[in-house]
DNA sequence: CTTTCATTTCAAGTTTTATTGAAATATACT
DNA sequence: AGTATATTTCAATAAAACTTGAAATGAAAG
């Protein structure tokens, strides 16, 4: 992950709707969800949802594949992980205070 | 960290200049840097730098304190850590793929 | 090959955010 | 008090992102 990619990812998840889509796709796991299911879940119009999904796709956060008439969107967990690593290492130089928050039993 | 705070933090670090300021303040550590030093380092005008710094301050990422004529800005490492934890736990439900990227020897 | 369903694209208007330079505030020095 | 330094605030402009609804695309079914 480079700076340009990280900036696009941050911009993408700084929208309340898109962050909600991300959380939804985390729960959906590797199966993903169709654009229509996502639209229904977040209560947005199809065109608005499509706009947000292409934003997330351009940011590399999601992948899409057509299944018959529907298009399935899946979260790219590796990209989210790479973003975490970018903050932790490239930005924060492995600062111990920041790093402590990333362990399950961390005092944070 | 709640969703509102996380959204503000993401929006803040989705600007190239502000991400650069964050990295600068990571290296400065607990000493921090004055607004003027930051402006010089990022090559921005004082007013523009001030704008970005108040954005980061509203997002909770930095703290400020006046030292004589200068105002020192410091990164709030705990807030950055809380943001990491928010992505990892609240958003990603501790997904193992994402979590693997947060350990030094992680296969990521 | 027309219809239906799922999704995307487009154009228009609205809102938000960024930039610039000048003026204002706060502190220190003489 | 008056001047210089450091930073912020303000108003105006410019640029980017969001929203809406209508039209277009792609795929399946009759």
């Amino acid at each position: 992950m480079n700076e340009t990619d990280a900036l696009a990812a941050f911009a993408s998840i700084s929208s309340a709707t898109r962050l909600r889509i991300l959380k939804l796709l985390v729960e959906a796991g590797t199966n993903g969800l169709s654009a229509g299911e996502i639209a229904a879940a977040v209560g947005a119009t199809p065109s608005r949802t499509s706009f947000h999904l292409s934003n997330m796709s351009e940011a590399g956060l999601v992948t899409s594949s057509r299944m018959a008439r529907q298009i399935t969107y899946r979260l790219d967990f590796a990209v989210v992980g790479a973003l975490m690593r970018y903050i932790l290492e490239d930005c924060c130089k492995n600062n111990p205070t920041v790093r402590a928050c990333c362990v399950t039993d961390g005092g944070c």
Side-chain angles (χ1 to χ4, degrees), chain A:
Chain A
M1 164 114 9
N2 60 29
E3 179 169 299
T4 305
D5 292 341
L7 288 170
F10 290 141
S12 191
I13 59 176
S14 68
S15 144
T17 303
R18 289 193 292 261
L19 188 61
R20 193 165 166 200
I21 292 174
L22 184 145
K23 289 178 182 176
L24 208 58
L25 291 178
V26 165
E27 306 212 346
T30 51
N31 291 330
L33 289 172
S34 71
E37 289 172 318
I38 295 168
V42 305
T45 64
S47 79
R48 195 170 136 208
T49 307
S50 176
F51 166 77
H52 287 305
L53 286 170
S54 31
N55 179 296
M56 294 178 80
S57 180
E58 279 170 30
L61 292 169
V62 302
T63 58
S64 63
S65 61
R66 186 177 275 276
M67 302 287 275
R69 272 188 281 201
Q70 300 169 7
I71 297 180
T72 300
Y73 284 88
R74 293 178 188 82
L75 185 65
D76 193 332
F77 289 91
V79 170
V80 178
L83 182 64
M84 292 289 285
R85 199 180 187 95
Y86 183 83
I87 305 174
L88 206 47
E89 295 185 356
D90 295 64
C91 296
C92 292
K93 309 291 179 192
N94 284 309
N95 176 276
T97 304
V98 178
R99 191 165 265 296
C101 295
C102 297
V103 296
T104 10
D105 58 350
C108 177

